[in-house]
C-alpha cells in the first residue's frame, strides 16, 4: 500500500479568493496547498480591466502570509461590451492569464456577465489570435430549463458552435458536473479541457437533501445524479491531459449559507489536496494524481510545472466544523469529518 506520495507542488486552476479582510483569511489556505491559482474575477464590481486586475493582484500578493510562496494568475471578467484591445493589452502585459465567460445571472456575481455569446465574438476572435484562454461557466440561464439540465443544454446551445467558430481558441469548461460535459471535452480537440472540483467527485445531488436541506452541499453548477459523479471520477483519475484540478473554492459566511436563500459555493480550499487524493485512492489511481494535480494544468496553460515538491501521507486529518477566515466564520467542505490523507507541513 502506498502511504506517501511526493509530487510537484500543485496549482488550483479555479478559485474564488474574494477581497478585503476575508481574502486574507481564505488566501492563507490556498497558499498553503498550492503554488499558483487562477483567481476568479466575479467581484463587485467585476475585474474587467487591466488596471483592476493589477490592483487586485497587488492586494492578493500583499496578503500572502510571510514565508509562503504563491502566485495569483488573473482573469478578465467578460462583459457584453468588453474591448478586445483591453484583453490583448492585459495578455501582453502579463496581467491576464485567461478571460471568463459568465452567462449573465448564471451564478454568484454574474450580473454583469454576457447576455448572448455573440456579443463577445470580437473578443473571442482576439483571444484566439493572441492565445488568451477562455474559461467558461457552462450553464444556460433559461428559467424554462431544469437546473439539473442547464450544463448539458449549454453544450448544445452554446459550446458546440463556440468551438466550431473558434477552432484554435483554448477553452476550459470549468467545474464540469455531467457525463455530457466530460464526453464533450474528450471528443473535442486538444485546445479544449476541463476542471473538476473535489465535491463533484465526491457527492451527488442527494447530498443537498440528506435528512433536510443542506446549504453547505449547494454550489453551482449543482451536483448531479450518481451516474454523472461516476463518469467524472473516471475521467479525472484517468490521467488524461484534458482534465485538471480546479477547486472552485467559493467561500461564503455561515450566515449567508444558512439562510432562507443561501448562497452557492463550497469552501474546499483548506483540505483540497487531501480530499482529491481520497478519490484517487478509492479509484486505485494514486499514480495518476500527479498528472491531474500538478502537470495537466500547466501543460494546457503553457506554464512550467512547479519545481518544489510536496508530500502527502496517509494520516487522519480532522476537518474543523468552522474556520475563522480573518473574522468571517465559514463552514468548510467536509466539516466535522476525518480525511484519510494529510499534506505535510
Ligand atoms: O457555487 C458557486 N459559487 N458557483 C459559482 O459559479 C460562483 C461561486 C461564487 O462565487 O460564490
Ligand atoms: Zn467558480
Amino acid at each position: 500500500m502506498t502511504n506517501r506520495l511526493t509530487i510537484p507542488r500543485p496549482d488550483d486552476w479555479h478559485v474564488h479568493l474574494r477581497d478585503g479582510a476575508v481574502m486574507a483569511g481564505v488566501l492563507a489556505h490556498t497558499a498553503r496547498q498550492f503554488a499558483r491559482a487562477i483567481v476568479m474575477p466575479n467581484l463587485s464590481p467585476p475585474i474587467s480591466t487591466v488596471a483592476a486586475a493589477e490592483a487586485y493582484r497587488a492586494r492578493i500578493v500583499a496578503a500572502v502570509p510571510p514565508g509562503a510562496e504563491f502566485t495569483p494568475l488573473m482573469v478578465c471578467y467578460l462583459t457584453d461590451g468588453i474591448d478586445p484591445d483591453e484583453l490583448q493589452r492585459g495578455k501582453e502585459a502579463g496581467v491576464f492569464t485567461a478571460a471568463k465567460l459568465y452567462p449573465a445571472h448564471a451564478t454568484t456575481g454574474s450580473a454583469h456577465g454576457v447576455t448572448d455569446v455573440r456579443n463577445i465574438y470580437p473578443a473571442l476572435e482576439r483571444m484566439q489570435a493572441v492565445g488568451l484562454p477562455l474559461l467558461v461557466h457552462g450553464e444556460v440561464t433559461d428559467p424554462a430549463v431544469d437546473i439539473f439540465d442547464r450544463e448539458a443544454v449549454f453544450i448544445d446551445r452554446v459550446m458546440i458552435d463556440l468551438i466550431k467558430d473558434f477552432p484554435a481558441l483554448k477553452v476550459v469548461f470549468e467545474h464540469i458536473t455531467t457525463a455530457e460535459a466530460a464526453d464533450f471535452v474528450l471528443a473535442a480537440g486538444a485546445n479544449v479541457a476541463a476542471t473538476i472540483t473535489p465535491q463533484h467527485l465526491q457527492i451527488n445531488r442527494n447530498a443537498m437533501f440528506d435528512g433536510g436541506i443542506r446549504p453547505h452541499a449547494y454550489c453551482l453548477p449543482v451536483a448531479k445524479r450518481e451516474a454523472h459523479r461516476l463518469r467524472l471520477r473516471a475521467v479525472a483519475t484517468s490521467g488524461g491531459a484534458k482534465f485538471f484540478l480546479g477547486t472552485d473554492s467559493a467561500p461564503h459566511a455561515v450566515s449567508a449559507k444558512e439562510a432562507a436563500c443561501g448562497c452557492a459555493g463550497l469552501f474546499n480550499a483548506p483540505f483540497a489536496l487531501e480530499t482529491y487524493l481520497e478519490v484517487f485512492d478509492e479509484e486505485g489511481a494514486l499514480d495518476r494524481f500527479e498528472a491531474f494535480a500538478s502537470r495537466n494544468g500547466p501543460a494546457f496553460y503553457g506554464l512550467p510545472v512547479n519545481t518544489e515538491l510536496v508530500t502527502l501521507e496517509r494520516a487522519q486529518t480532522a476537518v474543523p466544523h468552522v474556520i475563522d477566515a480573518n473574522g468571517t466564520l465559514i463552514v468548510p467542505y467536509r466539516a466535522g469529518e476525518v480525511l484519510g490523507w494529510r499534506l505535510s507541513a
Side-chain angles (χ1 to χ4, degrees):
M1 184 154 81
T2 305
N3 291 320
R4 283 166 70 85
L5 199 67
T6 297
I7 58 173
R9 191 169 188 79
D11 306 298
D12 184 351
W13 299 99
H14 183 131
V15 70
H16 299 267
L17 293 180
R18 313 305 191 201
D19 209 347
V22 73
M23 181 264 280
V26 302
L27 173 64
H29 295 282
T30 289
R32 191 180 74 83
Q33 296 242 324
F34 300 106
R36 298 169 291 200
I38 286 275
V39 181
M40 286 298 128
N42 62 331
L43 304 184
S44 182
I47 303 297
S48 286
T49 64
V50 182
E54 279 184 299
Y56 184 33
R57 181 170 67 181
R59 294 196 295 279
I60 295 167
V61 168
V64 172
E69 287 229 13
F70 176 75
T71 304
L73 303 173
M74 309 314 288
V75 177
C76 182
Y77 181 117
L78 296 171
T79 60
D80 280 341
I82 193 81
D83 178 359
D85 291 342
E86 188 73 3
L87 290 164
Q88 181 166 358
R89 254 198 310 279
K91 157 82 181 168
E92 287 170 356
V95 177
F96 292 152
T97 298
K100 175 82 186 253
L101 164 57
Y102 285 107
H105 307 293
T107 186
T108 313
S110 63
H112 302 274
V114 175
T115 58
D116 181 335
V117 74
R118 294 263 158 199
N119 294 339
I120 58 163
Y121 263 40
L124 298 179
E125 198 72 63
R126 189 70 64 87
M127 288 166 60
Q128 176 174 257
V130 303
L132 186 65
L134 174 70
L135 315 183
V136 183
H137 183 109
E139 289 191 286
V140 294
T141 55
D142 181 348
V145 177
D146 189 283
I147 190 166
F148 293 102
D149 297 332
R150 286 182 189 174
E151 183 175 281
V153 171
F154 186 87
I155 296 170
D156 294 336
R157 292 193 187 170
V158 181
M159 278 298 222
I160 289 173
D161 281 345
L162 191 137
I163 66 162
K164 213 181 293 160
D165 293 342
F166 301 97
L169 181 65
K170 282 191 184 185
V171 178
V172 184
F173 201 153
E174 298 284 4
H175 42 54
I176 60 169
T177 63
T178 58
E180 287 88 341
D183 292 334
F184 170 81
V185 168
L186 276 174
N191 59 311
V192 180
T195 52
I196 308 182
T197 75
Q199 62 266 23
H200 293 115
L201 297 170
Q202 290 190 320
I203 64 174
N204 64 31
R205 64 192 198 172
N206 290 339
M208 287 183 287
F209 311 103
D210 185 11
I213 191 108
R214 298 281 185 178
H216 300 294
Y218 172 59
C219 64
L220 287 170
V222 287
K224 306 297 193 297
R225 286 179 181 275
E226 178 65 359
H228 296 288
R229 184 182 78 96
L230 295 177
R231 186 82 188 107
L232 296 175
R233 285 170 75 102
V235 297
T237 62
S238 70
K242 285 170 159 278
F243 301 95
F244 42 85
L245 189 160
T247 62
D248 198 16
S249 184
H252 292 278
V254 178
S255 54
K257 293 286 291 176
E258 299 177 4
C261 185
C263 291
L266 272 57
F267 181 42
N268 58 26
F271 301 96
L273 291 174
E274 292 89 338
T275 42
Y276 275 118
L277 198 51
E278 282 189 343
V279 173
F280 281 73
D281 195 7
E282 288 158 6
E283 296 292 331
L286 286 177
D287 58 324
R288 296 196 278 276
F289 187 60
E290 178 172 330
F292 180 78
S294 310
R295 295 195 179 274
N296 295 348
F300 183 84
Y301 278 91
L303 294 169
V305 171
N306 297 307
T307 49
E308 191 195 342
L309 300 175
V310 296
T311 296
L312 288 131
E313 51 197 7
R314 214 178 273 283
Q316 297 214 325
T317 301
V319 179
H321 288 278
V322 68
I323 288 177
D324 183 339
N326 207 15
T328 300
L329 297 182
I330 304 173
V331 175
Y333 175 55
R334 308 284 303 271
E337 294 185 46
V338 176
L339 308 177
W341 290 85
R342 182 169 58 212
L343 176 65
S344 300

